[in-house]
């Protein structure tokens, strides 16, 4: 019995020693990892702040292993931090000062190759980056209204403007959301000739609601209720959805809608819509009413009109859509039911008018 107890005691001591040794080895491992992380964190902070000389101290003195540096992520993060809304134009890596961005690219690229087509944290409205908001560098550049010259700089280094996944906001969505405001026809032509997919891509609901895209707290566009959850949207759908974007006000809103209505009229015959655009626009834009035709947001003074409440180009587009829409009778009934007779009478005139339009066939 005594012998058994001694053997049992020895086993317990052995177990205690084993656990103790394992604990200290783990602790030493965590400590070593923490010590390794500290130089990396300091290095990244210096890089993002634009102090490359101080950052290089850690590599020069072998305090940091080069293979630990995620150059692709760090480059994009530094560019985003320097170009967040509200950031001064003299930020270290502002895209308005491309030589400084090139210096950063060359410095980090010499450590490890840089891939500009990944997805990174990119929420800039809160003044800091958050893990739940991710996008590509191209998407971020569109969100700040970067010029073709700026895009050319990054594209010459491998960046593309196509989508990368079905759950991340596509670059073209942000571009379309800024047409008529940050971008005009010249920019649209340039981007279409330089890789931006204005036609072939399709978009899921998840993509359109990701990050700060078409549907968010900043852009109050609603997606069609009668469209199946799994059904995707095409480029023409995207243009129409963006007309309902209420992220703009005043002249910017007028310019955005006017541009899109003109552009849709020009290109609609090239791609059929996947839902009824006519009823969608009437239901989601309160200004698109019969009483608003020819009205301006302020009384005309000295020959100057602030903005058209219902741009003429949008009226032309709506009328073309209405003549071929299967929802025309339904919309006439709905506006009659709420006593909006001016809109109902306007729609009745569309029904009675002869001819058709190639702008949209639903």
């Amino acid at each position: 019995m005594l012998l058994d107890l001694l053997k049992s005691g020895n086993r317990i001591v052995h177990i205690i020693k084993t656990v103790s040794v394992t604990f200290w080895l783990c602790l030493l491992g965590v400590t070593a990892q923490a010590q390794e992380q500290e130089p990396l964190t300091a290095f990244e902070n210096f890089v993002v702040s634009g102090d490359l000389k101080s950052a290089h101290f850690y590599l020069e003195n072998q305090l940091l292993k080069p293979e630990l540096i995620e150059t692709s992520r760090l480059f994009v993060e530094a560019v985003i931090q320097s170009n967040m809304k509200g950031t001064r134009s003299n930020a270290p890596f502002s895209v308005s000062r491309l030589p400084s961005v090139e210096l950063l690219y060359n410095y980090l690229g010499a450590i490890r190759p840089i891939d500009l087509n990944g997805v990174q944290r990119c929420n800039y409205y809160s003044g800091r980056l958050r893990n739940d908001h991710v996008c590509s560098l191209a998407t971020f550049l569109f969100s700040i209204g970067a010029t073709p010259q700026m895009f050319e700089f990054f594209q010459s280094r491998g960046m593309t403007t196509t989508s990368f996944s079905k759950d991340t906001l596509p670059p073209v969505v942000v571009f379309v959301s800024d047409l008529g405001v940050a971008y005009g026809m010249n920019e649209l032509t340039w981007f279409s000739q330089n890789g931006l997919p204005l036609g072939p891509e399709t978009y899921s609901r998840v993509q359109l609601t990701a990050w700060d895209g078409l549907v968010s707290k900043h852009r109050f566009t609603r997606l069609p209720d009668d469209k199946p959850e799994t059904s995707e949207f095409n480029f023409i759908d995207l243009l129409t959805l963006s007309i309902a974007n209420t992220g703009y006000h005043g002249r910017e809103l007028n310019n955005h809608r006017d541009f899109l209505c003109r552009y849709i009229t020009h290109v609609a015959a090239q791609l059929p819509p996947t839902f009824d655009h006519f009823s969608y626009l009437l239901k989601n834009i309160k200004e698109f009413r019969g009483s608003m035709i020819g009205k301006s947001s302020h009384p005309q003074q000295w020959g100057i009109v602030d903005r058209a409440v219902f741009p003429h180009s949008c009226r032309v587009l709506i009328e073309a859509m209405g003549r071929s829409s299967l929802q025309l009778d339904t919309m006439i009934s709905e506006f009659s039911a709420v006593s909006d007779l001016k809109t109902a009478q306007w729609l009745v005139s569309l029904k009675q008018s002869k001819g058709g339009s190639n702008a949209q066939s639903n």
Side-chain angles (χ1 to χ4, degrees), residues 236 263-273 358-361:
I236 292 298
Y263 187 56
I264 291 172
T265 302
H266 176 67
V267 302
Q270 302 173 20
L271 197 64
N358 292 326
Q360 176 166 2
S361 178

Side-chain angles (χ1 to χ4, degrees), residues 23-322:
F23 170 78
W24 285 110
L25 286 175
C26 289
L27 183 61
L28 288 173
V30 170
T31 303
Q33 185 178 4
Q35 289 175 342
E36 204 166 46
Q37 283 296 112
E38 288 176 4
L40 178 60
T41 301
F43 175 85
E44 291 186 350
N45 289 337
F46 278 124
V47 168
V48 171
S49 68
D51 190 352
L52 299 184
K53 183 177 180 181
S54 294
H56 193 63
F57 170 85
Y58 294 89
L59 292 175
E60 193 174 36
N61 291 279
Q62 299 181 344
L63 299 173
L64 174 63
K65 296 176 182 179
E67 57 267 24
L68 295 176
I69 302 171
E70 300 176 61
T71 54
S72 299
R73 176 189 60 78
L74 185 55
F75 174 79
V76 175
E77 186 172 313
V79 170
I80 290 176
Q81 287 281 30
S82 282
N83 292 278
M84 295 190 297
K85 287 191 175 180
T87 305
R88 299 188 306 274
S89 60
N90 64 346
F93 306 116
S94 169
V95 291
S96 62
R97 299 165 56 236
L98 288 177
S100 65
V101 181
E102 183 177 21
L103 178 65
L104 173 65
Y105 182 87
N106 292 340
Y107 175 73
L108 292 177
I111 299 172
R112 292 176 69 185
I114 296 175
D115 176 15
L116 299 180
N117 292 317
V119 291
Q120 310 292 348
R121 294 176 298 165
C122 56
N123 175 36
Y124 56 84
Y125 283 102
S126 64
R128 60 189 178 85
L129 301 181
R130 291 170 48 186
N131 288 319
D132 56 338
H133 288 176
V134 297
C135 70
S136 67
L137 176 59
T139 302
F140 177 81
L141 292 174
F142 278 127
S143 76
I144 61 172
T147 65
Q149 179 189 10
M150 296 170 184
F151 269 86
E152 189 173 27
F153 171 87
F154 293 101
Q155 286 183 294
S156 67
R157 289 161 176 78
M159 185 189 77
T160 66
T161 53
T162 54
S163 300
F164 303 102
S165 67
K166 281 298 180 182
D167 59 359
T168 302
L169 181 67
V172 69
V173 174
V174 180
F175 174 73
V176 167
S177 297
D178 286 337
L179 282 174
V181 182
Y183 300 112
M185 186 56 70
N186 289 337
E187 288 80 11
L188 189 150
T189 301
W190 188 92
F191 283 112
S192 66
Q193 293 174 347
N194 287 272
L196 186 63
L198 302 180
E201 284 192 335
T202 58
Y203 315 96
S204 67
R205 284 178 177 267
V206 174
Q207 284 179 300
L208 296 184
T209 56
W211 186 49
D212 190 54
L214 193 65
V215 183
S216 74
K217 63 181 180 180
H218 299 285
R219 306 177 192 274
F220 300 98
T221 304
R222 290 185 58 190
L223 298 182
D225 295 328
D226 56 350
K227 188 173 170 65
E229 288 285 335
T230 57
S231 177
E232 296 206 331
F233 299 83
N234 62 27
F235 181 61
I236 292 298
D237 297 333
L238 178 59
L239 293 171
T240 295
L241 290 170
S242 194
I243 294 177
N245 174 2
T246 57
Y248 295 114
H249 303 281
R251 291 190 181 219
E252 284 190 341
L253 179 62
N254 179 76
N255 292 342
H256 181 59
R257 287 177 173 171
D258 178 58
F259 187 99
L260 286 171
C261 288
R262 291 176 187 275
Y263 187 56
I264 291 172
T265 302
H266 176 67
V267 302
Q270 302 173 20
L271 197 64
T274 69
F275 63 92
D276 190 275
H277 290 190
F278 167 71
S279 58
Y280 171 82
L281 290 175
L282 287 180
K283 289 178 179 179
N284 288 280
I285 303 180
K286 65 181 185 300
E287 293 90 351
F288 287 9
R289 299 289 183 267
S291 60
M292 296 296 184
I293 294 175
K295 300 288 186 180
S296 61
S297 61
H298 295 289
Q300 187 169 350
Q301 296 179 342
W302 304 295
I304 300 174
V305 177
D306 180 39
R307 72 177 182 91
V309 178
F310 188 177
H312 177 71
S313 58
C314 294
R315 176 191 171 184
V316 170
L317 179 65
I318 291 288
E319 290 178 346
M321 291 176 173

